[in-house]
Amino acid sequence: MGAARAATAAYAAGGGSPASEAALAGRQFRLRLPFGCLGVSPGTEPASWRYDAERGTLTLTARTVAWTGTPLARSLPEASAIEAVEGFWIPRPWLESESCPALPVPPPAGEPAPDQTPAAKALPPKAQAPRPAAAKAEPAAAPAPAARPLPSPSAQTLGLAEVFREGGSRVFRRGERPYQVVEKSEPPTGPHVYHLVLEGRIAAGADGRVVRCRAETADRRPVCLVTVEFDRVAFEDPAGGKVLGEWRR
């Protein structure tokens, strides 16, 4: 993560790749990406799970992202000989831990969220001449406060990508095939978190670089891909440390 942050800063500043980047080639990595943190699996999470109460089965699914044909993929050396570029987004790359993020306490009803501008207070109406008394009516019930919609998640900005070249190994090339496990299971108790485990090695391109970044404008956070070779993809249940399924090179 530190190397990706350094590469992002260097790209945004208009410089070349950091000197520390070349030393990362061949280094092994292991990431445990939690999913199901909110009881559901929004688009920001790397995988999803669902439980079929009728069949008593638990299904875990992870789909790779295809970057083939994107400007980032076209910036790779020998781009014309590349068949596919696939991998996974790293959600919430600002976190240093492998656990779910802490949920913020929502503000009381009627108060703006931290990232919202407070509404201007209405000025009191001008004094008016009294009107003739009218028949008293029952006071209308105050409407219930509307639920505050959740803000949109941040766009994905960091991914691990494997490059598949012509004539190379296709063991971990998935295409439209997801990583998926279906097994008999007792129903999860409440919101349950699982881990998508990614293991492998950082791979350098022909130019020695391991991180590629691109941004549409100067005031947008660059999107960066770290080129890797995956050795293992697995699902784990952190509650008991059980491996629910794995794929090895």
Side-chain angles (χ1 to χ4, degrees), residues 39 51-52 75 93 182 237:
Y51 184 76
D52 189 327
S75 70
V182 181
D237 184 351

Side-chain angles (χ1 to χ4, degrees), residues 200-220:
R201 292 159 292 168
I202 297 176
D207 56 359
R209 297 184 58 187
V210 301
V211 185
R212 310 275 167 177
C213 296
R214 187 177 179 85
E216 296 179 0
T217 62
D219 57 355
R220 294 292 298 272

Side-chain angles (χ1 to χ4, degrees), residues 27 40 45 82 109 111 117 126 188 204:
R27 184 175 298 182
V40 294
E45 297 203 339
I82 293 176
E111 291 188 10
T117 303
K126 294 182 179 179

Side-chain angles (χ1 to χ4, degrees), residues 71-82:
L72 271 173
R74 291 196 296 268
S75 70
L76 292 166
E78 304 174 357
S80 59
I82 293 176

Side-chain angles (χ1 to χ4, degrees), residues 40-140:
V40 294
S41 295
T44 55
E45 297 203 339
S48 63
W49 68 267
R50 61 182 176 85
Y51 184 76
D52 189 327
E54 183 177 346
R55 293 183 173 87
T57 56
L58 174 69
T59 302
L60 305 174
T61 305
R63 298 182 183 275
T64 56
V65 180
W67 290 289
T68 313
T70 65
L72 271 173
R74 291 196 296 268
S75 70
L76 292 166
E78 304 174 357
S80 59
I82 293 176
E83 290 186 349
V85 181
E86 299 176 354
F88 296 93
W89 288 119
I90 306 301
R92 311 176 190 97
W94 53 85
L95 289 178
E96 296 290 345
S97 66
E98 296 178 334
S99 58
C100 289
L103 298 179
V105 179
E111 291 188 10
D115 58 349
Q116 292 179 341
T117 303
K121 294 184 178 180
L123 296 175
K126 294 182 179 179
Q128 297 180 352
R131 296 183 177 179
K136 292 184 178 180
E138 293 293 332

Side-chain angles (χ1 to χ4, degrees), residues 157-180:
T157 58
L158 178 61
L160 299 183
E162 182 160 4
V163 178
F164 297 91
R165 294 178 173 82
E166 294 179 355
S169 173
R170 300 183 180 183
V171 174
F172 264 73
R173 183 174 174 181
R174 303 300 296 183
E176 297 297 323
R177 296 178 298 126
Y179 293 98
Q180 190 169 76

